[in-house]
Amino acid sequence: MVTGASATPPNKGGRPAGNVRAPPEPPDYVATMRMEDMLREAAAAAPAEAAEFQAVLAKYEGHPGVQRKLAQEEAGARQRNLELNRPAYFELRSRIPDKVGLVEPKDQKGLEKVGCSPELARAILDRPALRMLRATRAQLDIAKAAVLKPLQIDG
């Protein structure tokens, strides 16, 4: 038979229930650093070994778990973007009359004639990409590059 402090029955963790110190409380704030951030900082701090750090970073970013995490983050960002912007897209699209095409009408009077308010007509002339909001997928697919190029934001 065992006597003394070790005679007390063990607790759930397998340690004696007697004079055991409770684990410390976690701090309110824990500063963490992601692996890729540490590698980038190390590459910046030691230019001589930067190529080696970049190689390790590339290997790290190629890991399937990291790829999965990045894909989940991107999917989440796309979903948030969709949820936030979809109502505004459909609201703006509903304000543009069906008769506004990719090319015609070309001037403010023509846009007002097909049902645009003066403010909306000016907005369409200032931002030609708005014309694409009323276009169907089929119209966009068959449109020539020369028609779509001026409608691009970068255009």
Side-chain angles (χ1 to χ4, degrees):
M1 182 162 192
V2 179
T3 61
S6 60
T8 57
N11 62 13
K12 290 181 182 175
R15 286 180 260 158
N19 298 324
V20 176
R21 178 177 68 83
E25 291 294 319
D28 293 334
Y29 173 75
V30 178
T32 59
M33 191 172 200
R34 295 175 35 188
M35 175 64 77
E36 50 265 46
D37 295 336
M38 288 191 294
L39 289 168
R40 285 188 190 104
E41 280 189 16
E49 291 89 13
E52 186 177 345
F53 286 122
Q54 292 299 331
V56 173
L57 179 61
K59 190 174 180 181
Y60 172 79
E61 289 174 342
H63 188 276
V66 174
Q67 292 291 315
R68 185 174 41 254
K69 181 183 78 167
L70 291 174
Q72 289 171 346
E73 288 174 359
E74 288 175 9
R78 278 193 305 274
Q79 184 63 30
R80 284 189 301 279
N81 189 13
L82 182 66
E83 289 171 0
L84 293 173
N85 293 317
R86 191 175 180 88
Y89 166 81
F90 282 111
E91 188 275 327
L92 182 56
R93 186 177 189 274
S94 69
R95 289 180 32 215
I96 299 174
D98 291 334
K99 294 180 181 176
V100 174
L102 293 174
V103 178
E104 296 291 332
K106 293 185 178 186
D107 59 355
Q108 184 162 349
K109 286 186 181 183
L111 288 167
E112 290 175 10
K113 197 178 285 184
V114 296
C116 292
S117 67
E119 297 82 24
L120 182 59
R122 279 193 298 277
I124 291 173
L125 292 172
D126 290 344
R127 295 183 302 268
L130 294 176
R131 291 177 178 271
M132 289 192 285
L133 294 180
R134 293 307 296 183
T136 63
R137 181 173 183 93
Q139 290 171 328
L140 292 173
D141 286 343
I142 63 171
K144 296 190 182 326
V147 171
L148 296 177
K149 179 70 175 159
L151 302 180
Q152 294 178 358
I153 293 174
D154 300 340

